[in-house]
Amino acid sequence: DDIRRISARPDITLHDVKKRIRRLYKHKMTLRYRDADGDMINIRKDEDWTACLQRFGNGEVKLELKQYEKSLLHRNEAHVSSAHHFQSS
């Protein structure tokens, strides 16, 4: 597991989060968070990001990131997971 901590302003946009993560990992990642029921929720739109921020309040936001690689020969999916912690600064 690759766990990193990134400080960010509380009003950071989803677009800016994705840009920062892309700079760190050099490729696109799928962002997810765990909701109050324990379900993993994908963050694809601004509304998803807003719900994530509301879930965690003004403190730390823990995200799971996944990179999907599809094999053309076997049509299998492999993924790499990591967690990010965004803190309000």
Side-chain angles (χ1 to χ4, degrees), residues 38-86:
D39 298 321
M40 294 305 296
I41 307 297
N42 290 320
I43 303 172
R44 294 189 176 118
K45 304 180 286 186
D46 290 330
E47 294 83 15
D48 302 328
W49 179 241
T50 299
C52 175
L53 293 176
Q54 289 172 348
R55 158 79 172 98
F56 290 98
N58 289 329
E60 187 174 274
V61 174
K62 184 176 181 181
L63 300 177
E64 178 180 289
L65 310 178
K66 290 186 178 265
Q67 174 193 357
Y68 291 95
E69 298 177 12
K70 293 187 178 184
S71 168
L72 295 176
L73 296 175
H74 303 292
R75 295 184 183 260
N76 293 331
E77 290 186 355
H79 64 269
V80 178
S81 296
S82 60
H84 275 270
H85 299 273
F86 284 86

Side-chain angles (χ1 to χ4, degrees), residues 4-5 7 13 23 26 29 33 37-38 47 55-57 59 61 66-67 70 74 79 87:
R4 300 184 190 199
R5 219 175 259 280
S7 293
T13 65
R23 272 188 251 135
K26 309 296 184 218
M29 302 291 262
Y33 72 97
D37 295 329
E47 294 83 15
R55 158 79 172 98
F56 290 98
V61 174
K66 290 186 178 265
Q67 174 193 357
K70 293 187 178 184
H74 303 292
H79 64 269
Q87 293 179 313

